[in-house]
Structures are given as structure tokens and as C-alpha cells.
Amino acid sequence: MNRNVLDHLSHAFEAPLKSPVLIFALVLVIILLSPILLRSIKVPGIIGLIISGVIIGPHGLNWLEKNSAVDLFSTIGLLYIMFIAGLELDMNEFKKTKHKSFLFGFFTFIIPIAIGFPVCYYFLNYGILASILISSMFATHTLVSYPIVNSYGISKNEAVAITIGGTILTDTAVLIILAVITGAAQGNIGQEFWVTLGISFAIFLFIMFGIIPRIAKWFFEKIESEKTSHYIFILAIVFFAAFLSEIAGLEPIIGAFVAGLALNKLIPHSSALMNRIEFIGNAIFIPFFLISVGMIVDVSVLLHGPEALIVAATLTVVAIIGKWSAARVTQFVFKYTKGQRNVIFGLSSSHAAATLAVIMVGHKNGIIDESVLNGTILLILVTCIVATIVTEGASKKIVLDGDQDDSHINIVKEHDEHILIPLANMENMQSILDFATMMKSKKSHHPINIVSVVKDNEQAEKNMATARKNLDNIVKYASGSETEVNIATTIDFNIASGISRSARDIMADCIILGWPSATNFVDKIVGEKTESILNRTSANVMMCQFKKPFISHKKIIVFAPPLAESEFGFEYWVEKVLKLGQELTILVTFVCDGRTELATKEYLAEIKNSVPVDFRIYDNWDNIQGLIHFREDNALLFYVSSRYGEVSYRSSLDGLAKKLEKIHQHENVVLVFPSRIDNQHIDEYEDVQAAPIFRKISKEIGNMFNKEK
């Protein structure tokens, strides 16, 4: 019996492994451990996974063989890489610097090819098709070192923006070249090929950009509650696009990349759906692809003679020289500083996802040999390390020169931002949490605070249990987008008092409320809940009515009264509106008077805004009803109001919430009350916070007497 057990174990672990369970377990262990082990020696995780594939592959220990299952996961991973590349591009930044991005994209595309082709053709003695393919590989780049510039606060620097924009152009051009070379390798090049390619490519683009976004928008609006269905729908679109691309005579990876661009506007970067897409891709599919790449690599080729080593070294050197030359020319044309030039070089010199995609297709079609494949792996390793070091140094240089982003000038420091959401109606809570997640600063390490205030009465204990259950449900929902939340339950004789106390305890910069409900006469005299919160706190307050999914919006319209720019919270709410515009990739329209327009434009220039913005003038602010003429379908409406007695306050803003509720019954509306004082000075202000309450009571009593008369 023992012998049978030993024989069974010996057979189970016989190389190559046959058990699907054991194979998958081995792959998961590699995905888990390789980045952790190589992080200490500063080796990028992508290299660790490829090296692991080399070790366990047919040319290494032979634990895994290239079978249909590996090929399936590898294909999914490759398509996933290209899809995420299209999905994560910041289209607002691209639009802002599109002319310079086009020029840089041309430089970073043509210069590496111009250097690489003669080297491959004359020095390495490859054929024309192989030389074109390899040199086009030099033109691609992956923004591996982008997190570095983001951490240094220079992501809005023009040099960074044009590099991101250039990525779209150069990768698209390379993928088109790949389609042509593949067709030529198969002997299909001719007049018929070009006509067919042109027509099929036009039809493909029409379907992807004309039809797919409309279907996706309809699906997300109609099936809003089925979050799992959203992810399955996205996957179906990706593979449908890849199949359409194949039908059109292009490579499937082009379809996946275009699918990312087509769905870019419909999937906010901070949404739960985006988190699911990135999480599953980065956890399973993409690592599996990288391991499968390593399995193809035959290290022994490098030992057959100096030729393979010469190829690897030449490819690496040419790739670096080509990208540095493009950065140098860009610096000369746009008069950039040395630091900006090095940032461009650092961001554009790393080769990873797109490079692998091109080389894998070329190898699959027999256009390039194993020496180029192995050399590409070395190229990826060296360029990723060089890009990381150069970007780090250049980012420091730009910061020392004082050219970092100016978003920190806001009264509220982004890394110290605190947001409070009082839990009221569970039906609206998910939308409010999504809203808070999109507008919250990514630099803030503080969680979103959610508080449930329970009245101190005979039902308090029962209500506390219900509140805790509701809070637990919100935590589960927040985990879907990896939104960190801090929940609390408190008892108070007055709900508004409990909310205000919680806001002071955490020094809240913004309180996000649901839309106020109808109140009775007693509530009006004593003080409505929302009015009481406004009187008891100095934080920015946003009252939200969300009736539609956020992806249904085509623009944001902001109604800002005269002197809104003079309020303490002006910079804060403007920044949040712009952040929503960036997340949803939509236009922001400000409706205001001339003075507010001028002040807003100055602030937008100061923070180097990349979101498209326009202005419309309205001067008759004593007639709030006149703002209805600026309303548009599928617009997210921001109305900026003011607390009683503040600099931008006017009587026409009284009862604005009730007026808006009648006008915008089925639209998404946010009513903003800007902060009236910096949180740093809030203690000095607390003594005068009771005054507005007495003014409110006096006003209501006065109205009563007027009515009687």
C-alpha cells in the first residue's frame, strides 16, 4: 500500500505536471511570491513573473508545458493588458495638450524606427519585415514609472501630459503596422488587401465608437443594480472587439485596445467596476500571460554563441538611444528644461506590455526568431530599471525647481482631507458613497467617515441595532471599490447636533448629505435638520439628489452666484467639480457673472486644470428661476448657495433646496454650501455659531406676523 502511495505521488509530481489542480496551484504560488521576493532588489514585478516562467517552462525545469489551457489564459492576459491600457488613458489630459502630444507621438514613433531599422537590417542582417517589426517595437512604450511622477506631485506638468498623450498615438500606429506586417508575412499584401483593410477597419471603428458605447451606456443604466453583470458585460465587449478585429484582418490585441478607448468615458477610474477589472486582471490573467511569455524563452540560445548576446545587447541599446533622442528633440522644439526632458525620457523609455504584445505576435507568425524574443526580455528588464531611476531623479529635479502641481494651494490640504457622510436613507447611500469616492482626493490617507446618529429615546437601543446593520451593509458595498470607510454610531437628543458633533470630532472638510425631506411647522421654528447642520458647522456641505446613474451625464453645469469666489470654500468645491469632470470625462460649464468667471479662470490656470471648461454669463441672480434656461438633458447640476450672512448670500437663495426639488424632480442635483472658515480657525468661530439660529427663529416669527396682517 505504501508503495502504491509513493507511486501515485511520484506520478502526480512527474514533470511536466499533468494535474490541472496542481498546475493552477503552482501558478498561483508564483504569482504570489515572485513580486515579493524581487521587490527587495528593486526588480519590477513584470520581470519576476517572466523569469519564473523561464524557470518552470519547457526550456527550464519543464514543470509546465505549453498546452491549450496555458494558451487560453495567455491570450486572455494579453487582451486584458491592451484593454486596460486603453481604459486607463486620461482623455482630458490628451485633449488639453493634443497638438503637442501629436508632435511628441510622431517623434517618439518615427525616431526609434529610423534608428532601429538600419541597425536591424544592415547590422543584425534581418529581413525587411522582421526589421520593420523589431524597429516598431522600439517605438512602443509602457508608462511603468508613472506612479513615481504621481507621487512627486508633477502629474499635471506639461511634459508628463504630452508623454501620456503620445502613448495613445505611438501604440496605435505600431499596432496598425503590426497588422500590415502580419498580412505581408502571410502573403496577403496587394491592392485587395489595402482596400479590404481600409473598409473593414472603418466598419470596425464605427461599431466600436458609434454603437458599442451606446449599448454599454444603456446596459449600465438599465441593469444598474447587477454589479456582477457589469463586469461580465465588459469582458464580453473586450472579446467581441477582439473577434471583430480578427474579422477585419487586424490582430485581436488592436480590438482589445480600441475597446478600452471606447469604454473609457463610461468607467470612472474610482468606480467599483474599474476596481474589479484591474483586480482580476492584475491578480490572475496578466500574471498568467507574463509567465507564459517566460515559458517560451530558451535561455540556452544565449549560450550557443555570441550572436544571441549581440542581438540582445543591440536591441537594448537601440531602444534606449531611440527614446532618448525623441525626448531630446521634443525638449528642443518645446523649449523644455532638462528635468522635463528626463521625465519624458523616463516615462517613454520603459518597454513592457505593448512591446511584449508586438513581439509575441511576431514570434507566433514566424517573423522573428528566438534570439529576438530572448533579447526583448533583456530589453524589458533593462529599460524598466533605467526608466525607474531616470524618472525618480527627474521628478526630484522638477520639484526642486518649483514646477510641481499647484493643487496643494487649496485651503484644504489634499492629504489631510476628511469627508463625513451621515447615514440616513439606505436607498440613496450607495450613490452618495460613489459620489464621495469619485470626488475624494487620492492623496488623502484618511477613510471616508460614515456616521449614523440615533435619537436618544425609548427606541434608541432598537434603532442602534438597525443602524449598525445598515453600516455593515455599506462597508460591504465600499469594499467593492476598495474604498476605505470608517463607521460610527452615536446617540444624541438631536440628529443635527449629533452630525455636527461628529463633524467637529474628525475636523470634517466636507459633509455630504442626502436631499432634505419635507418638514412640519414645528421643525421650521426649531430649525430644520439641514439648516441646523449648516448653522452648527463651518465645513463645506453638499446636499445630493441622485436619480440617475453617473454615466448618463454628458456634462456638469455649475450655477455659481456673484461673489462665490470670495467664500472660504470656493477652491474646495471647484476642485471637487473638476475631479468629477475628470472621473466622468465630461465638460464642465460654469454659469456665473463676469467677476466670478474671471476669478474661476485664474484659479483654473493656477492649478493647471486639464478638464474641458466653458462659461456662460448670467447676471440676474435675484431671479433664480431664470437659471432653468441653462438646464440641459443628462447634465449633473451643481447649485452653489451660501449660509445666511456670508459674503455671497442673497435673499433669492433662501429655500433653494425646496425650489430645486420642484424644478429637478428626476435629475441629479448637488446643492453646495461652501465652507465659511478654515478648519484651523474653527475653534475661534464656535462662539458665534448660535447667532444664525436666533436669526432663523426671528425670521420665521416675522413671516408669521406678515401673513396674519
Side-chain angles (χ1 to χ4, degrees):
M1 183 175 179
N2 290 337
R3 185 176 180 81
N4 289 337
V5 171
L6 290 174
D7 289 342
H8 178 70
L9 288 174
S10 175
H11 181 70
F13 288 97
E14 188 179 80
L17 300 177
K18 301 295 183 185
S19 169
V21 176
L22 189 57
I23 291 172
F24 200 68
L26 174 63
V27 170
L28 291 180
V29 169
I30 291 172
I31 294 172
L32 174 66
L33 295 180
S34 62
I36 296 174
L37 296 176
L38 292 175
R39 190 180 301 139
S40 59
I41 57 175
K42 306 292 184 182
V43 175
I46 185 174
I47 300 300
L49 292 167
I50 292 174
I51 292 174
S52 300
V54 174
I55 294 171
I56 67 170
H59 305 295
L61 299 175
N62 196 30
W63 288 354
L64 257 64
E65 61 181 350
K66 287 282 289 182
N67 53 31
S68 57
V70 172
D71 288 339
L72 174 63
F73 274 88
S74 175
T75 302
I76 295 173
L78 178 57
L79 296 178
Y80 222 102
I81 284 177
M82 299 309 297
F83 172 63
I84 290 180
L87 200 60
E88 288 187 333
L89 290 170
D90 190 335
M91 301 307 290
N92 285 325
E93 288 288 346
F94 175 68
K95 290 174 184 176
K96 180 185 175 184
T97 58
K98 58 184 177 183
H99 299 299
K100 291 185 176 180
S101 292
F102 270 108
L103 197 53
F104 168 71
F106 175 75
F107 290 150
T108 200
F109 171 74
I110 202 68
I111 292 175
I113 290 179
I115 296 174
F117 179 79
V119 171
C120 294
Y121 187 71
Y122 294 107
F123 180 69
L124 297 179
N125 296 319
Y126 283 107
I128 292 179
L129 290 182
S131 297
I132 294 174
L133 181 66
I134 297 169
S135 57
S136 69
M137 172 197 74
F138 296 143
T140 66
H141 60 258
T142 305
L143 302 173
V144 171
S145 55
Y146 179 76
I148 296 174
V149 300
N150 199 36
S151 66
Y152 275 90
I154 62 169
S155 58
K156 291 185 180 180
N157 190 287
E158 187 175 276
V160 176
I162 68 163
T163 308
I164 295 170
T167 303
I168 304 174
L169 302 169
T170 188
D171 284 2
T172 302
V174 168
L175 291 176
I176 293 173
I177 287 177
L178 179 63
V180 174
I181 291 175
T182 304
Q186 296 170 354
N188 297 329
I189 290 292
Q191 184 177 356
E192 185 180 347
F193 169 82
W194 293 108
V195 173
T196 304
L197 179 65
I199 294 173
S200 59
F201 190 54
I203 295 172
F204 168 70
L205 292 179
F206 172 74
I207 293 173
M208 293 307 303
F209 290 106
I211 299 176
I212 293 298
R214 286 180 169 83
I215 295 174
K217 188 175 182 180
W218 175 87
F219 183 85
F220 290 149
E221 289 176 354
K222 298 299 181 183
I223 320 290
E224 187 182 3
S225 60
E226 298 294 330
K227 303 301 181 183
T228 305
S229 300
H230 290 183
Y231 178 74
I232 300 300
F233 175 79
I234 290 298
L235 275 189
I237 291 293
V238 174
F239 287 96
F240 175 70
F243 175 71
L244 277 182
S245 182
E246 251 184 337
I247 295 296
L250 306 168
E251 284 298 319
I253 57 175
I254 298 177
F257 181 69
V258 172
L261 294 177
L263 298 174
N264 189 290
K265 284 188 175 183
L266 299 178
I267 305 177
H269 290 182
S270 299
S271 65
L273 179 57
M274 186 68 171
N275 180 64
R276 292 186 182 100
I277 292 169
E278 290 183 330
F279 177 80
I280 297 176
N282 293 331
I284 301 292
F285 296 131
I286 294 175
F288 214 115
F289 164 70
L290 296 172
I291 291 171
S292 71
V293 170
M295 292 172 64
I296 299 173
V297 174
D298 186 359
V299 181
S300 64
V301 172
L302 297 174
L303 305 177
H304 291 167
E307 182 181 346
L309 289 172
I310 291 172
V311 170
T314 303
L315 294 181
T316 304
V317 171
V318 171
I320 293 174
I321 291 175
K323 288 299 182 181
W324 187 89
S325 300
R328 182 70 182 85
V329 172
T330 304
Q331 178 198 11
F332 175 78
V333 172
F334 298 135
K335 310 299 182 187
Y336 286 154
T337 64
K338 183 179 177 181
Q340 289 177 306
R341 180 200 68 198
N342 288 343
V343 160
I344 294 172
F345 170 59
L347 287 172
S348 63
S349 61
S350 52
H351 295 262
T355 304
L356 273 177
V358 171
I359 288 301
M360 290 298 294
V361 172
H363 185 266
K364 179 182 176 182
N365 287 279
I367 301 171
I368 59 171
D369 57 21
E370 290 187 351
S371 295
V372 174
L373 179 64
N374 291 331
T376 302
I377 303 303
L378 179 64
L379 179 152
I380 291 171
L381 172 61
V382 174
T383 57
C384 285
I385 294 173
V386 169
T388 302
I389 295 171
V390 171
T391 306
E392 182 94 23
S395 300
K396 287 181 181 177
K397 172 68 175 170
I398 289 177
V399 170
L400 290 173
D401 290 343
D403 198 22
Q404 68 269 36
D405 296 346
D406 292 329
S407 56
H408 64 282
I409 64 175
N410 199 344
I411 287 175
V412 177
K413 299 293 190 294
E414 285 193 88
H415 59 276
D416 288 332
E417 183 183 24
H418 290 81
I419 293 177
L420 176 69
I421 303 178
L423 176 62
N425 189 343
M426 279 297 293
E427 291 181 6
N428 302 324
M429 199 60 195
Q430 291 185 0
S431 298
I432 291 175
L433 184 58
D434 289 341
F435 173 77
T437 302
M438 284 191 289
M439 65 169 245
K440 179 177 178 285
S441 168
K442 298 298 178 288
K443 295 179 183 178
S444 174
H445 58 274
H446 299 294
I448 294 174
N449 296 275
I450 303 176
V451 63
S452 181
V453 181
V454 175
K455 278 190 176 181
D456 189 4
N457 54 28
E458 64 277 1
Q459 296 290 322
E461 189 173 342
K462 180 181 177 182
N463 292 339
M464 282 284 282
T466 304
R468 288 190 181 117
K469 183 179 179 181
N470 290 338
L471 287 171
D472 288 340
N473 291 333
I474 288 298
V475 171
K476 291 177 183 177
Y477 179 78
S479 65
S481 58
E482 290 189 358
T483 301
E484 189 179 356
V485 296
N486 182 38
I487 59 173
T489 311
T490 184
I491 296 180
D492 204 292
F493 286 104
N494 181 280
I495 290 180
S497 174
I499 293 172
S500 305
R501 179 165 46 81
S502 299
R504 288 195 300 272
D505 288 344
I506 66 167
M507 297 291 286
D509 301 301
C510 184
I511 303 172
I512 304 178
L513 303 168
W515 203 257
S517 55
T519 54
N520 55 37
F521 175 76
V522 175
D523 287 334
K524 287 183 178 181
I525 295 297
V526 176
E528 300 174 14
K529 182 176 73 173
T530 306
E531 189 74 19
S532 297
I533 294 170
L534 290 172
N535 292 332
R536 292 169 184 267
T537 67
S538 296
N540 297 280
V541 175
M542 296 186 182
M543 293 161 41
C544 307
Q545 170 185 282
F546 296 131
K547 301 289 188 179
K548 299 178 180 179
F550 291 112
I551 62 164
S552 66
H553 299 307
K554 294 181 179 178
K555 69 157 49 178
I556 297 174
I557 302 178
V558 182
F559 301 99
L563 298 176
E565 70 279 5
S566 301
E567 299 281 1
F568 277 103
F570 171 72
E571 291 90 350
Y572 184 85
W573 67 255
V574 170
E575 181 188 307
K576 296 309 171 187
V577 167
L578 296 175
K579 193 152 191 0
L580 284 171
Q582 185 176 40
E583 286 282 342
L584 300 172
T585 321
I586 53 180
L587 171 76
V588 177
T589 296
F590 287 89
V591 179
C592 56
D593 67 3
R595 174 173 170 164
T596 303
E597 177 188 5
L598 182 62
T600 306
K601 284 181 176 178
E602 289 177 354
Y603 179 68
L604 296 181
E606 204 170 4
I607 63 173
K608 300 177 182 177
N609 169 56
S610 62
V611 178
V613 171
D614 65 6
F615 292 85
R616 302 182 71 181
I617 299 298
Y618 184 71
D619 291 316
N620 189 16
W621 284 91
D622 290 327
N623 177 24
I624 295 294
Q625 296 289 335
L627 295 173
I628 298 175
H629 299 297
F630 296 96
R631 184 178 63 180
E632 297 181 23
D633 293 335
N634 297 318
L636 172 57
L637 306 176
F638 268 79
Y639 282 86
V640 181
S641 186
S642 178
R643 290 170 169 85
Y644 184 83
E646 296 304 313
V647 65
S648 64
Y649 174 79
R650 55 181 56 226
S651 59
S652 59
L653 297 176
D654 282 342
L656 186 56
K658 292 184 178 65
K659 297 174 185 175
L660 297 179
E661 189 174 15
K662 295 176 182 178
I663 299 171
H664 306 295
Q665 295 181 1
H666 306 292
E667 295 172 288
N668 287 1
V669 183
V670 179
L671 179 57
V672 180
F673 292 87
S675 169
R676 57 184 169 189
I677 199 165
D678 187 353
N679 272 345
Q680 294 175 355
H681 304 101
I682 198 168
D683 293 333
E684 303 170 11
Y685 200 75
E686 285 181 346
D687 293 338
V688 297
Q689 285 183 344
I693 300 174
F694 293 107
R695 286 199 294 267
K696 175 72 174 177
I697 294 174
S698 300
K699 185 177 179 182
E700 292 291 344
I701 293 174
N703 290 338
M704 288 169 55
F705 280 110
N706 289 333
K707 288 179 181 177
E708 289 179 2
K709 289 179 182 179

